[in-house]
Amino acid sequence: MIWIHLSELAVDRLLAGELAAGDEAAMRDHAADCARCGALLDDALAVQRTFVPDESPLRFVTPLPAPRPFADRPPRRASTFGVIAAVAALAAGLAVALTWPHANADGSVRTKGAAIVGFFVEHDGQIRRGAPHETVMPGDRVELFTTALEPVWFAAISDDARGLRNVYVAPRRVEPGREQLLPVATELDDTLGTEVVTGVFCESAFDAGTIDPDAPPHGCSVDHFTLVKVSR
Amino acid sequence: MTGSELEQLYRDHGHAVLRRAKRLLRDDDDARDIVQDVFLDVFRHPERFAARSSIATYLYSATTHACLNRLRDGRNRTRLVAIETAGRSHQSPARGETRAFACELLAGLPADEAALAVYLYCDELTHEEVAGLLGCSRRHVGDLASQLRRRIMERVA
């Protein structure tokens, strides 16, 4: 390969160790004789040396996708919230999370294979376990965890007080186990009021944008919790 | 992709993404946001990488697109190229004109063409490198470059 001038991409590949030995040597030789390319390489090396991965990507805040109108679904029935709160309490407690079957708050039996979503709230650096109708504030971070007996696909979607839906967690495969913390967190926006977060669990991959939490398709189950967002 | 794999990827390549984003955005805070966006996107959608190119190439492309998305404002895009153009006294007058036209056009280009313009006129990548970024042949890059150049000339005319 003939190097006329080093491109930024070529430098990236050099530092990543992706180039063949001959190409790498040719690049370094060229950089030694070319002021422009030498400066480019020196700059890249300096950034690499000084780069401090000060924030683990696992702690990166999930930027919320652009909200889309919540036009396709009727408003939640009031009676649903009682169920949501009770299920959320179940999720928060997790006392018998892996001992199926057990009863849901609505009296139904959670069958083997059903799964639970729970959450933690980080507020001003303090982390607490989420409770039913947890009071939260804009800027707080919500971290979700799941409890499942089998590998399952999971997504979390949220319906806020304005009736807008956000995808908190895009569909991803989660492993079985108790309180498996998801590696993403969501920073809450400034929309005040009640926000219902629905965890959707499916046997196979699915599209979170089209699923209806009130009528999950065959092979899927849902679990909810409610946040009550108040101003700071 | 597991969390530990993401961590390792970030440690190995975060500096390159940050440098690229700083160069395109000229803003440290925005650049750090882009780093987060890029790595989260890899984490959420590993299939987009799918080893069709090297990871450095993929991240370079992903960072470019992320920055261009950030610079939806046409004036900012123009600023991007203007900054890139400044200080390159070695370029020939003809090349300088082409850059200036690309600068004008960049604001109105769709995302893929804007990225191509950045690769060709800002980064001065070879067609081979651009082919690696776009996942296509060098010949196709040549065709795309010709189309882009024609568009520039039509705009100028």
Side-chain angles (χ1 to χ4, degrees):
Chain A
M1 188 177 290
I2 297 172
W3 300 102
I4 300 171
H5 281 298
L6 304 188
S7 68
E8 192 178 353
L9 174 59
V11 170
D12 284 355
R13 298 194 64 202
L14 171 71
L15 297 185
E18 294 179 352
L19 296 180
D23 289 339
E24 181 175 337
M27 279 186 66
R28 291 190 185 280
D29 287 347
H30 174 81
D33 294 333
C34 172
R36 173 189 165 185
C37 295
L40 184 66
L41 184 56
D42 287 345
D43 175 62
L45 288 168
V47 174
Q48 185 184 38
R49 274 196 304 270
T50 57
F51 178 71
V52 179
D54 52 356
E55 190 172 22
S56 161
L58 297 182
R59 301 293 299 170
F60 282 170
V61 175
T62 307
L64 293 178
R68 63 180 178 78
F70 185 33
D72 298 331
R73 299 174 59 221
R76 274 178 194 280
R77 296 183 301 276
S79 59
T80 306
F81 288 97
V83 177
I84 292 166
V87 174
L90 196 61
L94 285 170
V96 286
L98 290 174
T99 56
W100 276 278
H102 62 235
N104 267 343
D106 60 1
S108 64
V109 175
R110 188 185 292 279
T111 56
K112 183 177 185 297
I116 297 171
V117 61
F119 66 105
F120 294 98
V121 177
E122 181 180 342
H123 174 81
D124 291 343
Q126 301 293 315
I127 297 176
R128 65 180 188 272
R129 178 184 284 271
H133 286 277
E134 181 75 35
T135 299
V136 294
M137 295 180 179
D140 287 355
R141 292 180 179 187
V142 172
E143 296 183 342
L144 304 181
F145 59 80
T146 60
T147 295
L149 278 181
E150 301 159 350
V152 66
W153 285 80
F154 169 78
I157 54 183
S158 148
D159 298 321
D160 71 16
R162 294 175 301 174
L164 296 178
R165 175 173 293 178
N166 291 304
V167 177
Y168 272 13
V169 179
R172 53 176 290 123
R173 190 175 166 86
V174 296
E175 296 303 316
R178 180 172 172 167
E179 298 192 7
Q180 300 290 308
L181 192 64
L182 294 166
V184 290
T186 299
E187 184 171 279
L188 299 177
D189 63 15
D190 55 5
T191 302
L192 304 181
T194 300
E195 184 165 339
V196 178
V197 179
T198 302
V200 182
F201 299 85
C202 295
E203 295 172 352
S204 56
F206 61 96
D207 182 0
T210 59
I211 205 160
D212 183 349
D214 285 338
H218 179 71
C220 296
S221 65
V222 297
D223 195 5
H224 309 270
F225 62 82
T226 302
L227 303 172
V228 180
K229 203 184 304 176
V230 299
S231 61
R232 281 183 175 268
Chain B
M1 170 175 284
T2 65
S4 60
E5 288 171 337
L6 178 70
E7 293 262 10
Q8 189 62 49
L9 191 70
Y10 174 70
R11 281 195 294 272
D12 290 346
H13 300 279
H15 62 92
V17 172
L18 180 63
R19 177 165 47 84
R20 174 78 176 151
K22 277 184 177 178
R23 181 184 169 210
L24 293 180
L25 299 177
R26 306 285 164 166
D27 183 288
D28 284 3
D29 290 338
D30 282 352
R32 291 191 179 280
D33 286 348
I34 291 294
V35 174
Q36 293 190 10
D37 291 349
V38 167
F39 281 98
L40 275 174
D41 196 62
V42 172
F43 184 67
R44 290 174 183 152
H45 304 288
E47 73 282 359
R48 289 182 183 166
F49 166 51
R52 283 189 294 270
S53 63
S54 74
I55 187 62
T57 301
Y58 176 79
L59 291 173
Y60 188 92
S61 171
T63 307
T64 303
H65 279 275
C67 290
L68 287 173
N69 285 339
R70 179 65 60 104
L71 298 173
R72 288 182 194 282
D73 184 319
R75 287 175 303 171
N76 283 340
R77 281 193 176 181
T78 301
R79 184 196 65 176
L80 182 158
V81 182
I83 291 169
E84 289 300 314
T85 306
R88 294 203 180 188
S89 56
H90 65 281
Q91 64 196 7
S92 67
R95 185 113 193 207
E97 284 184 11
T98 307
R99 282 178 170 281
F101 299 149
C103 172
E104 287 182 16
L105 271 179
L106 197 56
L109 291 176
D112 286 347
E113 287 191 348
L116 179 64
V118 169
Y119 297 148
L120 292 174
Y121 299 120
C122 296
D123 301 339
E124 298 182 318
L125 299 184
T126 65
H127 283 199
E128 183 178 2
E129 288 175 316
V130 177
L133 288 165
L134 301 184
C136 64
S137 67
R138 275 187 294 179
R139 183 172 182 172
H140 187 56
V141 172
D143 292 341
L144 293 175
S146 297
Q147 289 172 19
L148 184 62
R149 208 172 297 118
R150 265 200 307 277
R151 187 174 291 216
I152 291 170
M153 293 310 170
E154 287 169 5
R155 179 74 172 266
V156 173

